[in-house]
Amino acid sequence: MSPRSRHWQWLLVIPTAAPLLTPFANRIEPTLFGVPFFFWYQFACALLAMVVITVVYLATREGRP
């Protein structure tokens, strides 16, 4: 793995830290379609993790065509 591709891995800090912000997310308002903030924030963190992990994987995989 080249040193340049290691820089992409720093993006993995975002989906790791986002769900740990529970003091920020520990509330009911605002709701989204009747779902309290805490629950849709956790769902958004899961989607964010999927996107970031995919981007890092595609940017750092070996033998790209």
Side-chain angles (χ1 to χ4, degrees):
M1 183 179 308
S2 71
R4 181 172 181 249
S5 65
R6 289 188 188 144
H7 293 189
W8 282 99
Q9 294 176 354
W10 280 103
L11 285 176
L12 297 173
V13 171
I14 297 169
T16 303
L20 298 176
L21 299 173
T22 37
F24 167 72
N26 190 15
R27 58 185 178 178
I28 295 174
E29 296 293 329
T31 59
L32 182 67
F33 304 116
V35 178
F37 177 77
F38 178 78
F39 293 111
W40 65 261
Y41 177 75
Q42 294 298 316
F43 183 71
C45 286
L47 292 176
L48 174 69
M50 286 187 281
V51 169
V52 170
I53 290 169
T54 302
V55 167
V56 171
Y57 169 74
L58 292 175
T60 60
R61 67 181 173 171
E62 298 289 330
R64 285 179 255 175

